Amino acid sequence: MLKGKVAVVTGSTSGIGLAYARAFAEQGANVVINGLGDAAAIEAERTKIESDFGVKALYSDANMLNAEEIGGMVKLAETEFGACDILVNNAGIQHVAPIEEFPIETWNTIIAINLTAAFIATRAAIPGMKAKKWGRIINTASAHALVGSPFKSAYVAAKHGIAGLTKVTALETATFGITCNAICPGYVWTPLVEKQIPDTAKARGMTEEQVKRDVILAAQPTKEFITVEEVAALAVFLASDNARSITGSMQQIDGGWVAE
Ligand code: NAD
């Protein structure tokens, strides 16, 4: 479905981003992966994408806190693969604390990685997409782009900001064959979530199953985690030609969370 396309996925060394990169590659796209982490582990994921799917994969070590490096990541796709057809703004971090105790520095970092980096990458990718009259920009937002939760001020603000950026990007690119949409997942089973469970169980004197159902999934009516593969399948659809008229949308994949 995506043969000949090039996808750049920020924050794709683990979790949802890695699933996006693998799903695009499975559809025949060459991919640029990006993110932090152990160099050997990243290189292993990169070569696995190439051997599993017979496409080319490059790694960009661009830090989403650095505007020049973000621009360089898009340039890398354009110079090495000839284009950045699909841009997925996915890198994100979280911090949980009451507003009055929330470190200002941490607020600034979350806004920079979760919101400003998406603006900078989008800004860099649009000229090439306009020239080709084809492009797909997919922003990993969150259920927290649509509703709030206590103690997550910076994250919720950044994700609501991503919703606004998605709409404006869609409007500015609508006549150029480019779409821009946000994916709004509820709780997705990623290493980030998995690692919290044993400690939370210990701290609360609960079983791990109770933590999953009654603490983490309290807001998710299905009481089941979403898988990274489900989120990636939605991104593949949004990147397809069949989705050419879907733009400026918030795609909920949240087990019913924001319906409540
Ligand atoms: P994750 O921690 O597994 O992945 C985050 C990725 O971002 C990693 O590849 C990491 O290296 C990268 N990253 C972090 N800081 C970076 C920086 N400064 N520069 C470059 N890369 C950086 O987490 P995930 O759960 O896969 O989250 C991916 C996205 O999905 C995030 O935007 C997150 O907000 C969103 N999301 C996650 C969930 C969930 O339940 N897991 C739910 C809704 C939305």
Side-chain angles (χ1 to χ4, degrees):
M1 199 150 68
L2 299 175
K3 209 165 171 47
K5 301 289 191 217
V6 178
V8 176
V9 185
T10 74
S12 47
T13 51
S14 92
I16 297 170
L18 180 58
Y20 286 144
R22 290 184 57 79
F24 291 136
E26 189 176 19
Q27 296 299 324
N30 291 327
V31 295
V32 175
I33 60 167
N34 156 263
L36 312 176
D38 173 65
I42 293 170
E43 178 56 12
E45 288 296 354
R46 188 194 68 75
T47 54
K48 191 161 166 23
I49 290 173
E50 291 191 333
S51 58
D52 283 353
F53 306 117
V55 299
K56 289 192 188 133
L58 283 173
Y59 169 62
S60 160
D61 67 358
N63 191 315
M64 293 300 110
L65 290 166
N66 183 312
E68 222 170 279
E69 291 179 15
I70 297 168
M73 175 189 64
V74 172
K75 257 277 160 310
L76 179 75
E78 292 174 339
T79 51
E80 295 298 318
F81 291 151
C84 169
D85 299 302
I86 301 162
L87 169 68
V88 186
N89 292 306
N90 170 76
I93 58 165
Q94 173 67 284
H95 184 79
V96 181
I99 290 175
E100 64 273 29
E101 291 165 20
F102 208 98
I104 295 169
E105 189 73 5
T106 308
W107 166 279
N108 287 336
T109 304
I110 290 178
I111 299 295
I113 295 173
N114 295 19
L115 177 58
T116 309
F119 161 71
I120 295 168
T122 299
R123 185 178 185 277
I126 282 178
M129 291 179 178
K130 277 188 172 174
K132 283 186 80 176
K133 289 230 166 237
W134 198 95
R136 296 286 185 270
I137 300 168
I138 299 167
N139 296 322
T140 308
S142 166
H144 282 128
L146 303 166
V147 294
S149 291
F151 314 125
K152 296 182 176 176
S153 54
Y155 186 89
V156 172
K159 294 298 185 183
H160 275 64
I162 278 286
L165 175 66
T166 300
K167 291 171 191 173
V168 174
T169 305
L171 295 175
E172 291 189 17
T173 58
T175 57
F176 292 91
I178 301 168
T179 70
C180 179
N181 294 287
I183 294 181
C184 301
Y187 283 105
V188 184
W189 188 250
T190 66
L192 194 91
V193 175
E194 195 177 352
K195 279 185 213 145
Q196 301 170 16
I197 290 172
D199 284 348
T200 312
K202 224 180 271 168
R204 290 179 179 245
M206 290 172 147
T207 66
E208 295 195 6
E209 274 317 305
Q210 283 172 321
V211 169
K212 285 187 204 171
R213 194 186 60 239
D214 300 334
V215 180
I216 298 184
L217 293 176
Q220 199 146 292
T222 53
K223 304 296 176 205
E224 279 183 34
F225 285 98
I226 298 141
T227 69
V228 293
E229 289 80 13
E230 288 164 357
V231 181
L234 179 53
V236 167
F237 179 69
L238 290 173
S240 73
D241 282 326
N242 280 334
R244 71 183 183 94
S245 302
I246 303 175
T247 195
S249 76
M250 306 294 116
Q251 298 285 326
Q252 295 160 224
I253 173 164
D254 64 2
W257 179 343
V258 308
E260 281 195 308

